[in-house]
Amino acid sequence: MATRTENLIVDGLERLHITIDPAELAPIVGLGQTLRDFVDVVARFEDDDEHPLK
Amino acid sequence: MTASPRNTASPTNVETAALVKDLASGATTATATLELCLDRLDARGDELGIMAYRDDDVARAAAAQSDVRRRSGHPLSPLDGVPIGIKDIIATADFPTRANSRAQDPHPYRGRDAPVVARLRAAGAVIVGKTATMEYAMGLADESSGFPFPRNPWNPEHWTGGSSSGSVAGVAVGMFSAGIGTDTAGSIRVPSAWCGVTGFKPTFGLVSAAGVIPLAESFDHVGPIARTAEDCALIMTAIADRAAPATFAAASVDDDPALAVVAGLRIGIDWSQFEGSIDGLHAAAEEVRATLLALGAREVAFSLPPNDVTHAVTMICLTSEALSLHATQLAERWELYGTDTRWSLASGLALTADEIASAERARHRIRARTIETFGDVDIVIVPASTMTAPRHGEIDYDELVSSFRTTFWNATGNPAVSIPAGFTAEGMPIGLQLVAAHGNDDLLLCVARAFQSVTAHHRRTVLSETSN
């Protein structure tokens, strides 16, 4: 089953009218997943009122 | 009788401050200096992957015009005749600009010079050519790209770091006096640290980024790479925006105001930034700290935000900006991009608009907090990278990016300079980064110059250890 990351990237490629070799999707999704992990870090920061940056 | 190239002794080095004096005194000429640079480029330029484009006839004509001005007693500035390399993402009127990419229109900016190039020409500098970079100033070196492959002058089996690879390595080997680079996440400071030269990222906006092919415009900085902080300050005097002081005190050739500047300054080190660093980096930072304290600085408690949050925020903001800038061209020329570049750009599609906005909010909060912090400290000592230059074939992208202690300062826009600070047991350069408050560019360069005036790390060069 496709992950959220894969769905976001496939939808985005379609929106930009970019056609890729299917073999390219996995490395793009891998890099995209790293960014999704960063999104989680930022979300935790936003939710943490005691964070030293606040 | 005036000097001419024929009767002038050949220069033995092209370091900016020394060359400015020699050109002014007639000890050398622009033509003789350029010929030395071109000889060095002929000898090792291809091996080290320095130049993206050269037209020696154009450079020789510029040098000859400079010599005419010198002989007539009307140089355009102290930099008249100084040879400079320009990173190949910065537009020049006479040379193509290809950004190391088959996808790039080679004549952006409507065929004009970028303002930073125009200012150098107005100062009489001789543009040697366009220096190699990574594709669109991102990603890793790609030997199959058909573009120059960057090799570290200290050991060609190692990478230079990127993306201002040609500008940095060319300075390290004396192929030009200074290079102009760009820095979106550390692209001036990391390769400078890994190649043993001084690289300066000015306050955001102090040097115009117009005419520079953008990677992420709110992160992109333009700045000089040279042997010393004094050399960088000389270049800054020519290229800084008019809002800057007309001259940089750190560029004073006739006297050295730097040592007196350090007395009373507040310096801070957050040792957590050195966790996981290679052997030698901690000791190098101790030496910088001790040297500045001996010159009269005092140490204050200081800490930076945790790396996990700042790294996440900057990577989200930077990647989304880069994708936005390239989206149209990606759709039109996907196959012409290198795979690493197009995959990295397309990965930004995994981010939603809300998530990008959230990261931007966090970035503004971090920047505001950093401005507050610099109310209590003047100079911060941090690594440029916790690594030294990795070997080709042993480069782990995630490890590489997480080693950078530079990207944070692109997000905040503070001025930062990477200075030579020693060598590993294997003989690879170690660099350290000094950072100051927004607008304190001259102070920062004065402090770096003060350190270099009482230490010798920057004097150990590739040229001093080889016959050429």
Side-chain angles (χ1 to χ4, degrees), chain A residues 4-5 8-9 12-13 15-16 18 20 24 27-28 31-32 35-36 38-39 41-42 45-46 51-54, chain B residues 305 308-309 311-313 315-316 319 331 334 342-344 346-347 349-352 355 358 361-362 365-366 369:
Chain A
R4 172 167 161 74
T5 305
L8 284 165
I9 287 171
L13 290 168
R15 190 170 66 251
L16 293 177
I18 296 173
I20 66 169
E24 292 191 87
I28 296 171
L31 291 167
L35 290 173
R36 301 275 340 140
F38 290 151
V39 167
V41 172
V42 174
F45 167 68
E46 289 283 283
H51 195 283
L53 277 172
K54 293 184 176 175
Chain B
D308 61 342
V309 174
H311 184 63
V313 165
M315 292 308 294
I316 291 170
T319 306
W334 176 263
R342 68 194 189 211
W343 293 348
S344 292
S347 72
L349 294 167
L351 300 166
T352 69
E355 291 159 354
S358 178
R361 278 198 306 277
R365 198 171 296 175
I366 290 169
R369 181 64 183 271

Side-chain angles (χ1 to χ4, degrees), chain B residues 64-229:
Chain B
Q65 290 167 3
S66 173
D67 288 332
V68 169
R69 290 191 294 270
R70 288 278 182 190
R71 284 196 293 272
S72 69
H74 297 98
L76 294 172
S77 83
L79 290 178
D80 204 330
V82 171
I84 308 277
I86 304 291
K87 185 176 180 177
D88 196 31
I89 66 166
I90 303 172
T92 46
D94 45 3
F95 300 147
T97 302
R98 293 178 294 185
N100 232 62
S101 182
R102 292 184 299 130
Q104 176 59 36
D105 164 14
H107 298 287
Y109 207 52
R110 288 175 280 168
R112 297 174 300 169
D113 282 333
V116 64
V117 175
R119 287 182 178 207
L120 286 166
R121 289 197 211 270
V126 173
I127 308 302
V128 177
K130 307 300 282 289
T131 59
T133 175
M134 311 297 109
E135 185 173 30
Y136 286 112
M138 62 187 297
L140 300 171
D142 178 2
E143 200 159 15
S144 68
S145 69
F147 289 92
F149 186 69
R151 294 186 179 279
N152 195 305
W154 290 94
N155 184 339
E157 293 180 7
H158 290 242
W159 189 29
T160 52
S163 62
S164 302
S165 54
S167 288
V168 169
V171 167
V173 195
M175 294 169 174
F176 25 80
S177 296
I180 300 300
T182 62
D183 190 318
T184 303
S187 288
I188 288 174
R189 291 161 289 157
V190 171
S192 293
W194 289 355
C195 294
V197 299
T198 302
F200 180 52
K201 181 192 82 69
T203 295
F204 179 76
L206 184 59
V207 177
S208 171
V212 177
I213 297 169
L215 172 55
E217 285 171 301
S218 74
F219 288 80
D220 293 344
H221 297 65
V222 181
I225 300 122
R227 172 63 53 199
T228 67

Side-chain angles (χ1 to χ4, degrees), chain B residues 364-376:
Chain B
H364 285 298
R365 198 171 296 175
I366 290 169
R367 187 174 186 276
R369 181 64 183 271
T370 304
I371 290 171
E372 283 180 22
T373 298
F374 274 97
D376 301 321

